[in-house]
Amino acid sequence: MKYRHGFHAGNFADVHKHVTLLSLIAALQRKDKGFLYLETHAGRGLYDLDSADTHQGAESRLGIGVLRGTASASPQIAAYLAAIERLCPRADESLLYPGSPLLAAQALRGQDRGWCCEIQAAECRALERALQHYPRMRGACTDGYAGLAAHLPPPERRALLFIDPPYEEQDDDLVRAIAGIDDALQRLANAVIALWYPIKDQPELAPWLTRLAARLAVPALVAELWLHPRDARIGLNGSGLLILNPPYRLDAEMQQWLPELGDALGAARQGGTRVQWIAHEQH
Ligand SMILES: C[S@@+](CC[C@H](N)C(=O)[O-])C[C@H]1O[C@@H](n2cnc3c(N)ncnc32)[C@H](O)[C@@H]1O
């Protein structure tokens, strides 16, 4: 595997993904009962935006670089920026960006716990170091789908699954992710599941979502943010999240904060945002 998330750390897709992740966790935490956080594709947990591993944070300049230091009207974006500031204070000389495992770890309460799986050994060792001060969140050097099978169903009977594949082989990653989701829902039907997907090729994406919607047995919505026309040949045009069994009112909250995030990241120029139910809309 050649994929290194470092090159993309803190880019607009990471920002979209991570604000969504923290809002999902906050929504689950409206109930006192603890839950299991399970991440299948964790990465290294912490990225140095001043290093060759991240191309000196080149992509982050159009992501977290735009947002940092700004004030946000929406509580979800403000909470994300506050978490970044807590984990990687700007007062430090270093220029760091936290990955999803660290962002989730700092948000867990005493009654919550988490496992993050990473398959590349060097990334996994870095992940374990990044998580060393968070005893409620464990790193596991294993295949993420094996991790799902090993930890579901949890004794808490509540779980948030976060699936963020690298899409080096786009079709293979989508097929594996959907098989993993099917298996996870068999083990825990009420699991809240978020799958990140790239918006690169609209003619392929639209029928994939339609086919998926037709066979889903649980409520599902998509939340997307794109900076370039959806079928531009740029590389990554946009960022999408498929959310299954979304917590109550998550859609309404997203309708508020996602356009604000899109505006802040420049989506108004050639892109856009959308939050849309694709199966079993909840009221
Ligand atoms: C997109 S990155 C994850 C970024 C991270 N979720 C974040 O937001 O900070 C995908 C990661 O998945 C890892 N990976 C690829 N296939 C995997 C598998 N089958 N199981 C676990 N990790 C895998 C890659 O090594 C890479 O670090």
Side-chain angles (χ1 to χ4, degrees):
M1 178 178 304
K2 294 197 215 88
Y3 185 85
R4 294 284 176 281
H5 189 68
F7 295 146
H8 313 296
N11 71 2
F12 78 93
D14 255 12
V15 171
H16 172 224
K17 186 192 302 178
H18 294 160
V19 179
T20 309
L21 171 62
L22 290 186
S23 17
L24 276 165
I25 292 176
L28 280 162
Q29 290 178 337
R30 285 184 206 130
K31 290 189 183 154
D32 282 341
K33 190 164 168 35
F35 63 90
L36 172 70
Y37 174 76
L38 198 48
E39 177 157 356
T40 50
H41 297 72
R44 59 191 294 121
L46 190 61
Y47 299 90
D48 181 352
L49 299 182
D50 206 13
S51 74
D53 289 343
T54 63
H55 285 162
Q56 269 70 34
E59 288 195 18
S60 75
R61 279 174 220 135
L62 297 179
I64 186 61
V66 175
L67 279 192
R68 248 189 144 165
T70 62
S72 173
S74 77
Q76 288 80 6
I77 301 173
Y80 160 77
L81 289 172
I84 300 277
E85 195 52 40
R86 249 189 331 274
L87 290 164
C88 306
R90 262 176 308 163
D92 280 5
E93 289 295 296
S94 51
L95 203 53
L96 299 173
Y97 183 76
S100 45
L102 202 49
L103 282 163
Q106 59 82 41
L108 296 187
R109 306 165 298 183
Q111 63 269 48
D112 308 321
R113 66 192 175 96
W115 281 94
C116 294
C117 305
E118 169 55 51
I119 210 160
Q120 295 193 64
E123 298 292 281
C124 188
R125 279 195 298 277
L127 174 66
E128 287 170 339
R129 282 196 299 279
L131 292 176
Q132 65 187 328
H133 301 303
Y134 297 91
R136 307 209 61 73
M137 183 73 92
R138 308 277 297 276
C141 300
T142 182
D143 173 79
Y145 299 109
L148 286 186
H151 293 287
L152 294 177
E156 298 90 339
R157 310 297 304 180
R158 296 184 78 206
L160 170 60
L161 315 184
F162 195 64
I163 306 178
D164 183 18
Y167 294 101
E168 277 185 311
E169 302 293 338
Q170 169 133 336
D171 291 347
D172 291 356
D173 269 332
L174 278 179
V175 168
R176 276 204 88 190
I178 297 302
I181 287 174
D182 284 343
D183 182 43
L185 286 172
Q186 298 241 329
R187 292 167 190 272
L188 186 69
N190 70 348
V192 177
I193 305 179
L195 168 68
W196 185 82
Y197 56 87
I199 300 175
K200 278 184 170 171
D201 188 349
Q202 181 64 11
E204 279 189 18
L205 181 60
W208 175 72
L209 279 175
T210 308
R211 277 197 308 277
L212 188 64
R215 61 184 280 280
L216 280 171
V218 296
L221 58 83
V222 292
E224 298 181 335
L225 183 161
W226 62 103
L227 297 188
H228 308 287
R230 294 168 68 99
D231 49 6
R233 304 219 164 263
I234 285 186
L236 186 65
N237 299 322
S239 160
L241 280 150
L242 168 72
I243 303 173
L244 307 183
N245 288 323
Y248 179 60
R249 288 196 51 75
L250 189 87
D251 58 333
E253 290 168 3
M254 280 180 160
Q255 300 280 11
Q256 298 288 317
W257 66 256
L258 190 56
E260 185 192 327
L261 187 65
D263 283 350
L265 292 172
R269 284 192 288 276
Q270 299 185 77
T273 60
R274 73 165 180 150
V275 178
Q276 192 176 322
W277 286 97
I278 61 163
H280 310 284
E281 176 168 356
Q282 292 165 316
H283 296 284

Short mmCIF file of all heavy atoms in Angstrom, two decimals, residues 1 3-5 14 17-18 39-45 47 97-101 117-120 123 142-145 162 164-166 173 176 196, ligand 1:
data_model
loop_
_atom_site.label_atom_id
_atom_site.label_comp_id
_atom_site.label_asym_id
_atom_site.label_seq_id
_atom_site.Cartn_x
_atom_site.Cartn_y
_atom_site.Cartn_z
N MET A 1 0.84 -1.20 0.00
CA MET A 1 0.00 0.00 0.00
C MET A 1 0.88 1.26 0.00
O MET A 1 1.81 1.37 0.77
CB MET A 1 -0.87 -0.01 1.27
CG MET A 1 -1.73 1.22 1.37
SD MET A 1 -2.78 1.18 2.80
CE MET A 1 -3.64 -0.35 2.54
N TYR A 3 -0.53 4.43 0.10
CA TYR A 3 -1.27 5.58 0.62
C TYR A 3 -0.64 6.18 1.89
O TYR A 3 -0.33 5.46 2.84
CB TYR A 3 -2.71 5.18 0.93
CG TYR A 3 -3.56 6.35 1.36
CD1 TYR A 3 -4.18 7.16 0.43
CD2 TYR A 3 -3.70 6.67 2.71
CE1 TYR A 3 -4.94 8.25 0.81
CE2 TYR A 3 -4.46 7.76 3.11
CZ TYR A 3 -5.07 8.54 2.15
OH TYR A 3 -5.82 9.62 2.54
N ARG A 4 -0.46 7.48 1.90
CA ARG A 4 -0.01 8.20 3.10
C ARG A 4 -1.01 9.31 3.35
O ARG A 4 -1.09 10.25 2.55
CB ARG A 4 1.37 8.83 2.89
CG ARG A 4 2.50 7.84 2.72
CD ARG A 4 2.90 7.20 4.06
NE ARG A 4 3.91 6.18 3.88
CZ ARG A 4 3.68 4.94 3.48
NH1 ARG A 4 2.45 4.55 3.21
NH2 ARG A 4 4.66 4.07 3.35
N HIS A 5 -1.73 9.23 4.46
CA HIS A 5 -2.73 10.26 4.70
C HIS A 5 -2.09 11.62 4.95
O HIS A 5 -2.72 12.66 4.73
CB HIS A 5 -3.66 9.88 5.85
CG HIS A 5 -4.81 10.83 5.96
ND1 HIS A 5 -5.79 10.91 5.00
CD2 HIS A 5 -5.10 11.79 6.87
CE1 HIS A 5 -6.64 11.86 5.31
NE2 HIS A 5 -6.25 12.41 6.44
N ASP A 14 -10.71 16.60 5.05
CA ASP A 14 -10.48 16.28 6.47
C ASP A 14 -11.34 17.20 7.35
O ASP A 14 -11.94 16.75 8.33
CB ASP A 14 -9.00 16.48 6.84
CG ASP A 14 -8.26 15.16 7.00
OD1 ASP A 14 -8.80 14.11 6.61
OD2 ASP A 14 -7.11 15.19 7.51
N LYS A 17 -14.95 16.07 7.14
CA LYS A 17 -15.06 14.77 7.82
C LYS A 17 -14.99 14.94 9.34
O LYS A 17 -15.75 14.33 10.09
CB LYS A 17 -13.86 13.96 7.31
CG LYS A 17 -13.74 12.55 7.69
CD LYS A 17 -12.32 12.04 7.33
CE LYS A 17 -11.93 12.16 5.88
NZ LYS A 17 -10.53 11.70 5.63
N HIS A 18 -14.07 15.79 9.79
CA HIS A 18 -13.83 15.89 11.23
C HIS A 18 -14.89 16.73 11.95
O HIS A 18 -15.23 16.45 13.10
CB HIS A 18 -12.40 16.41 11.48
CG HIS A 18 -11.35 15.44 11.03
ND1 HIS A 18 -10.05 15.80 10.77
CD2 HIS A 18 -11.42 14.10 10.78
CE1 HIS A 18 -9.36 14.72 10.39
NE2 HIS A 18 -10.17 13.69 10.38
N GLU A 39 -13.20 2.80 14.86
CA GLU A 39 -12.72 3.39 13.60
C GLU A 39 -11.90 2.35 12.85
O GLU A 39 -10.98 1.75 13.40
CB GLU A 39 -11.87 4.64 13.91
CG GLU A 39 -11.30 5.22 12.65
CD GLU A 39 -10.94 6.70 12.74
OE1 GLU A 39 -11.20 7.34 13.79
OE2 GLU A 39 -10.38 7.20 11.76
N THR A 40 -12.27 2.13 11.58
CA THR A 40 -11.63 1.05 10.82
C THR A 40 -10.32 1.46 10.15
O THR A 40 -9.45 0.63 9.95
CB THR A 40 -12.58 0.57 9.69
OG1 THR A 40 -13.03 1.72 8.97
CG2 THR A 40 -13.76 -0.20 10.26
N HIS A 41 -10.20 2.73 9.75
CA HIS A 41 -9.03 3.18 8.98
C HIS A 41 -8.51 4.45 9.66
O HIS A 41 -8.91 5.56 9.33
CB HIS A 41 -9.43 3.51 7.54
CG HIS A 41 -9.93 2.34 6.76
ND1 HIS A 41 -11.16 1.77 6.98
CD2 HIS A 41 -9.36 1.64 5.74
CE1 HIS A 41 -11.33 0.76 6.14
NE2 HIS A 41 -10.25 0.65 5.39
N ALA A 42 -7.60 4.26 10.63
CA ALA A 42 -7.35 5.33 11.59
C ALA A 42 -6.27 6.32 11.16
O ALA A 42 -6.29 7.48 11.56
CB ALA A 42 -6.97 4.72 12.93
N GLY A 43 -5.26 5.86 10.40
CA GLY A 43 -4.13 6.74 10.13
C GLY A 43 -3.26 6.88 11.38
O GLY A 43 -3.37 6.10 12.34
N ARG A 44 -2.37 7.89 11.40
CA ARG A 44 -1.37 7.98 12.48
C ARG A 44 -1.80 8.86 13.65
O ARG A 44 -1.10 8.98 14.65
CB ARG A 44 -0.01 8.41 11.94
CG ARG A 44 0.01 9.74 11.24
CD ARG A 44 1.33 9.98 10.50
NE ARG A 44 2.47 10.11 11.38
CZ ARG A 44 3.55 9.32 11.36
NH1 ARG A 44 3.63 8.34 10.48
NH2 ARG A 44 4.54 9.52 12.18
N GLY A 45 -2.93 9.54 13.53
CA GLY A 45 -3.47 10.26 14.70
C GLY A 45 -3.00 11.69 14.84
O GLY A 45 -3.73 12.51 15.39
N TYR A 47 -0.46 14.79 12.73
CA TYR A 47 0.30 15.08 11.51
C TYR A 47 1.08 16.38 11.68
O TYR A 47 0.53 17.37 12.17
CB TYR A 47 -0.66 15.18 10.31
CG TYR A 47 -1.40 13.89 10.09
CD1 TYR A 47 -2.62 13.64 10.72
CD2 TYR A 47 -0.85 12.87 9.30
CE1 TYR A 47 -3.28 12.44 10.56
CE2 TYR A 47 -1.50 11.67 9.14
CZ TYR A 47 -2.72 11.46 9.77
OH TYR A 47 -3.36 10.24 9.61
N TYR A 97 -1.62 18.84 13.15
CA TYR A 97 -3.06 18.66 12.89
C TYR A 97 -3.46 17.28 13.41
O TYR A 97 -2.80 16.28 13.10
CB TYR A 97 -3.38 18.78 11.40
CG TYR A 97 -4.88 18.68 11.16
CD1 TYR A 97 -5.71 19.76 11.44
CD2 TYR A 97 -5.46 17.50 10.71
CE1 TYR A 97 -7.09 19.66 11.26
CE2 TYR A 97 -6.83 17.40 10.53
CZ TYR A 97 -7.64 18.49 10.82
OH TYR A 97 -9.00 18.39 10.66
N PRO A 98 -4.53 17.21 14.22
CA PRO A 98 -4.94 15.91 14.75
C PRO A 98 -5.78 15.14 13.75
O PRO A 98 -6.62 15.70 13.05
CB PRO A 98 -5.81 16.31 15.96
CG PRO A 98 -6.38 17.64 15.60
CD PRO A 98 -5.39 18.32 14.68
N GLY A 99 -5.57 13.83 13.70
CA GLY A 99 -6.42 12.97 12.88
C GLY A 99 -7.69 12.61 13.65
O GLY A 99 -7.88 12.98 14.82
N SER A 100 -8.55 11.86 12.99
CA SER A 100 -9.84 11.51 13.60
C SER A 100 -9.70 10.73 14.92
O SER A 100 -10.49 10.98 15.85
CB SER A 100 -10.70 10.73 12.61
OG SER A 100 -9.95 9.74 11.96
N PRO A 101 -8.71 9.81 15.07
CA PRO A 101 -8.64 9.09 16.35
C PRO A 101 -8.42 10.02 17.54
O PRO A 101 -9.01 9.84 18.61
CB PRO A 101 -7.44 8.15 16.17
CG PRO A 101 -7.29 8.00 14.70
CD PRO A 101 -7.70 9.30 14.11
N CYS A 117 -8.40 1.10 14.33
CA CYS A 117 -7.58 0.10 13.63
C CYS A 117 -6.78 0.76 12.51
O CYS A 117 -7.30 1.60 11.77
CB CYS A 117 -8.47 -0.96 12.99
SG CYS A 117 -9.59 -1.75 14.16
N GLU A 118 -5.53 0.36 12.39
CA GLU A 118 -4.66 0.87 11.31
C GLU A 118 -3.78 -0.28 10.86
O GLU A 118 -3.15 -0.94 11.67
CB GLU A 118 -3.83 2.05 11.82
CG GLU A 118 -2.72 2.50 10.91
CD GLU A 118 -3.15 2.85 9.48
OE1 GLU A 118 -4.09 3.63 9.28
OE2 GLU A 118 -2.51 2.31 8.54
N ILE A 119 -3.72 -0.48 9.54
CA ILE A 119 -3.06 -1.68 9.02
C ILE A 119 -1.56 -1.49 8.77
O ILE A 119 -0.80 -2.45 8.82
CB ILE A 119 -3.77 -2.18 7.74
CG1 ILE A 119 -3.63 -3.68 7.61
CG2 ILE A 119 -3.30 -1.45 6.50
CD1 ILE A 119 -4.65 -4.31 6.70
N GLN A 120 -1.11 -0.27 8.49
CA GLN A 120 0.32 -0.08 8.21
C GLN A 120 1.08 0.06 9.53
O GLN A 120 0.75 0.91 10.37
CB GLN A 120 0.55 1.19 7.38
CG GLN A 120 -0.07 1.12 6.00
CD GLN A 120 0.43 2.24 5.11
OE1 GLN A 120 1.62 2.31 4.80
NE2 GLN A 120 -0.47 3.12 4.70
N GLU A 123 2.46 3.52 10.66
CA GLU A 123 1.37 4.44 10.99
C GLU A 123 0.75 4.03 12.33
O GLU A 123 0.39 4.87 13.15
CB GLU A 123 0.29 4.42 9.89
CG GLU A 123 0.76 4.87 8.53
CD GLU A 123 1.11 6.35 8.48
OE1 GLU A 123 0.21 7.19 8.39
OE2 GLU A 123 2.32 6.64 8.54
N THR A 142 -4.32 -3.67 13.01
CA THR A 142 -5.07 -4.74 12.40
C THR A 142 -5.93 -4.22 11.26
O THR A 142 -6.12 -3.00 11.11
CB THR A 142 -5.96 -5.43 13.47
OG1 THR A 142 -6.68 -6.50 12.88
CG2 THR A 142 -6.98 -4.48 14.05
N ASP A 143 -6.46 -5.13 10.48
CA ASP A 143 -7.41 -4.77 9.42
C ASP A 143 -8.70 -4.24 10.07
O ASP A 143 -9.23 -4.84 10.99
CB ASP A 143 -7.69 -6.04 8.60
CG ASP A 143 -8.78 -5.80 7.59
OD1 ASP A 143 -8.50 -5.21 6.55
OD2 ASP A 143 -9.93 -6.19 7.86
N GLY A 144 -9.16 -3.12 9.56
CA GLY A 144 -10.32 -2.48 10.18
C GLY A 144 -11.58 -3.32 10.14
O GLY A 144 -12.40 -3.26 11.06
N TYR A 145 -11.75 -4.11 9.07
CA TYR A 145 -12.98 -4.90 8.99
C TYR A 145 -12.93 -6.09 9.95
O TYR A 145 -13.96 -6.50 10.49
CB TYR A 145 -13.22 -5.34 7.54
CG TYR A 145 -13.39 -4.13 6.64
CD1 TYR A 145 -12.40 -3.77 5.73
CD2 TYR A 145 -14.50 -3.31 6.76
CE1 TYR A 145 -12.53 -2.64 4.94
CE2 TYR A 145 -14.63 -2.16 5.98
CZ TYR A 145 -13.65 -1.83 5.07
OH TYR A 145 -13.78 -0.71 4.31
N PHE A 162 -16.80 4.51 12.31
CA PHE A 162 -16.29 5.53 11.40
C PHE A 162 -15.37 4.82 10.40
O PHE A 162 -14.37 4.22 10.80
CB PHE A 162 -15.53 6.58 12.23
CG PHE A 162 -15.26 7.84 11.48
CD1 PHE A 162 -16.30 8.64 11.04
CD2 PHE A 162 -13.96 8.25 11.22
CE1 PHE A 162 -16.05 9.82 10.35
CE2 PHE A 162 -13.70 9.43 10.53
CZ PHE A 162 -14.76 10.22 10.10
N ASP A 164 -13.17 5.16 6.98
CA ASP A 164 -12.52 6.20 6.17
C ASP A 164 -11.42 5.57 5.32
O ASP A 164 -10.23 5.80 5.56
CB ASP A 164 -11.95 7.27 7.14
CG ASP A 164 -11.32 8.44 6.41
OD1 ASP A 164 -11.60 8.63 5.21
OD2 ASP A 164 -10.56 9.17 7.07
N PRO A 165 -11.82 4.78 4.30
CA PRO A 165 -10.81 4.05 3.52
C PRO A 165 -9.98 4.99 2.64
O PRO A 165 -10.41 6.10 2.34
CB PRO A 165 -11.66 3.13 2.61
CG PRO A 165 -13.05 3.19 3.14
CD PRO A 165 -13.18 4.50 3.83
N PRO A 166 -8.81 4.50 2.18
CA PRO A 166 -7.95 5.37 1.38
C PRO A 166 -8.40 5.51 -0.08
O PRO A 166 -8.00 6.44 -0.77
CB PRO A 166 -6.58 4.69 1.45
CG PRO A 166 -6.86 3.28 1.82
CD PRO A 166 -8.13 3.27 2.60
N ASP A 173 -12.42 -0.55 -2.52
CA ASP A 173 -12.67 0.02 -1.19
C ASP A 173 -14.17 0.19 -0.93
O ASP A 173 -14.64 -0.06 0.18
CB ASP A 173 -11.94 1.37 -1.03
CG ASP A 173 -10.55 1.19 -0.44
OD1 ASP A 173 -10.34 0.23 0.30
OD2 ASP A 173 -9.68 2.02 -0.73
N ARG A 176 -15.68 -3.31 -0.27
CA ARG A 176 -15.32 -3.81 1.08
C ARG A 176 -16.06 -3.03 2.16
O ARG A 176 -16.52 -3.59 3.16
CB ARG A 176 -13.81 -3.67 1.33
CG ARG A 176 -13.01 -4.81 0.78
CD ARG A 176 -11.68 -4.94 1.51
NE ARG A 176 -11.77 -5.79 2.69
CZ ARG A 176 -10.81 -5.92 3.59
NH1 ARG A 176 -9.69 -5.25 3.47
NH2 ARG A 176 -10.95 -6.70 4.65
N TRP A 196 -16.90 7.67 4.80
CA TRP A 196 -16.44 8.77 3.96
C TRP A 196 -16.23 8.26 2.54
O TRP A 196 -15.76 7.14 2.34
CB TRP A 196 -15.11 9.35 4.49
CG TRP A 196 -14.69 10.57 3.70
CD1 TRP A 196 -15.14 11.84 3.87
CD2 TRP A 196 -13.79 10.60 2.58
NE1 TRP A 196 -14.58 12.66 2.92
CE2 TRP A 196 -13.75 11.94 2.12
CE3 TRP A 196 -13.03 9.64 1.92
CZ2 TRP A 196 -12.97 12.33 1.03
CZ3 TRP A 196 -12.25 10.02 0.83
CH2 TRP A 196 -12.22 11.36 0.41
C1 LIG B 1 -7.82 8.16 4.85
S1 LIG B 1 -6.63 7.49 5.94
C2 LIG B 1 -7.36 7.67 7.52
C3 LIG B 1 -7.41 9.06 8.05
C4 LIG B 1 -8.06 9.19 9.39
N1 LIG B 1 -9.34 8.51 9.44
C5 LIG B 1 -8.27 10.65 9.76
O1 LIG B 1 -9.30 11.22 9.41
O2 LIG B 1 -7.39 11.21 10.42
C6 LIG B 1 -6.79 5.76 5.64
C7 LIG B 1 -5.86 4.90 6.47
O3 LIG B 1 -6.35 3.55 6.38
C8 LIG B 1 -5.24 2.67 6.43
N2 LIG B 1 -5.75 1.39 5.89
C9 LIG B 1 -5.87 0.99 4.61
N3 LIG B 1 -6.49 -0.21 4.54
C10 LIG B 1 -6.78 -0.58 5.81
C11 LIG B 1 -7.44 -1.70 6.39
N4 LIG B 1 -7.93 -2.70 5.65
N5 LIG B 1 -7.56 -1.73 7.75
C12 LIG B 1 -7.06 -0.74 8.52
N6 LIG B 1 -6.43 0.35 8.03
C13 LIG B 1 -6.30 0.44 6.69
C14 LIG B 1 -4.18 3.38 5.62
O4 LIG B 1 -2.90 2.91 5.97
C15 LIG B 1 -4.42 4.85 6.01
O5 LIG B 1 -3.59 5.21 7.10
#
